[in-house]
Amino acid sequence: KAGVQSFVVAIAAFAIFWSGEHLARGVIGFFMGGTMFACWQALRGSAREALVARILGIVVIAGWVVLAVMLYDNSPLLAGTETNLLFLTAFDYVLCPLTILALALRERVSGRSYKWLGFLGDISYSTYLIHFPMQLALALIAARLALTPDFFMQGWVMIAFYAVLITLGATSYRYFERPMQHWIRRRRSEAVVAVVD
């Protein structure tokens, strides 16, 4: 089955961690997404769909609460950031995929739509491109004002960073990325029409 194949590829991608952490996480995220889609298809319309949705909802909420507490307490289990394979494994193979599956099942069972979360997907490319120059700018500001790393570890600073990042990403998507997509599609359609004529 496609879901099993996706899961096998996601597991195999763990070996890439040592040579390229970002590449490994990209492959894992993509194929775990395929695995969760297969799980969603298998559960869709089944007698146990509502029960699984309820249990998964509780599990993922508990998982995010535990993670938030560990971050707040600066838990040693999270030390090492990108080299902490234990945390990355739990996050990439368990918490994130199960969260997506829980939302998808909840949407079906409750009849509520989570399409508004698609906004985050729409702006993901813009925020990805913008976050790096933002970090560079903050590093220059920190050097200029003699700010220590402890300043940037404060919760309000992180919240402010993400608020600005999401605002810039949304602005870029609305006024640049989406208009460019429309323009490219229109030019492509015109080219196709010209070739047909």
Side-chain angles (χ1 to χ4, degrees):
K1 288 184 178 181
V4 174
Q5 293 170 348
S6 291
F7 186 67
V8 169
V9 174
I11 294 297
F14 186 82
I16 311 173
F17 262 119
W18 286 271
S19 58
E21 180 258 339
H22 295 293
L23 176 61
R25 296 190 70 191
V27 173
I28 291 167
F30 181 83
F31 285 97
M32 284 304 296
T35 304
M36 293 303 102
F37 178 71
C39 291
W40 176 80
Q41 282 188 315
L43 288 166
R44 184 177 55 180
S46 70
R48 61 183 186 275
E49 181 181 17
L51 177 62
V52 172
R54 191 175 301 112
I55 293 172
L56 270 183
I58 294 169
V59 168
V60 298
I61 289 172
W64 285 107
V65 168
V66 168
L67 177 58
V69 170
M70 291 172 71
L71 286 168
Y72 182 79
D73 287 342
N74 202 18
S75 170
L77 293 174
L78 301 180
T81 60
E82 295 183 356
T83 60
N84 189 331
L85 293 185
L86 178 63
F87 166 70
L88 292 179
T89 300
F91 191 75
D92 293 341
Y93 283 106
V94 181
L95 187 56
C96 285
L98 289 184
T99 299
I100 298 300
L101 179 58
L103 286 172
L105 288 174
R106 180 67 182 166
E107 187 175 49
R108 267 192 51 82
V109 170
S110 67
R112 296 176 182 171
S113 175
Y114 292 101
K115 286 184 178 180
W116 62 272
L117 288 174
F119 163 77
L120 296 176
D122 291 338
I123 68 171
S124 62
Y125 188 66
S126 294
T127 54
Y128 174 74
L129 292 179
I130 292 169
H131 90 281
F132 186 65
M134 273 187 65
Q135 288 177 323
L136 286 177
L138 286 174
L140 293 173
I141 292 171
R144 181 77 174 175
L145 301 178
L147 298 174
T148 65
D150 290 338
F151 173 81
F152 294 99
M153 297 302 291
Q154 298 178 84
W156 73 267
V157 175
M158 185 65 71
I159 291 171
F161 176 84
Y162 280 111
V164 172
L165 177 61
I166 290 172
T167 301
L168 290 176
T171 303
S172 173
Y173 175 76
R174 180 172 182 179
Y175 295 106
F176 176 73
E177 188 177 340
R178 191 165 58 180
M180 286 302 295
Q181 289 174 355
H182 293 323
W183 181 79
I184 290 170
R185 289 178 184 135
R186 188 168 57 250
R187 290 294 299 266
R188 186 180 300 163
S189 297
E190 290 171 357
V192 170
V193 170
V195 169
V196 171
D197 290 344

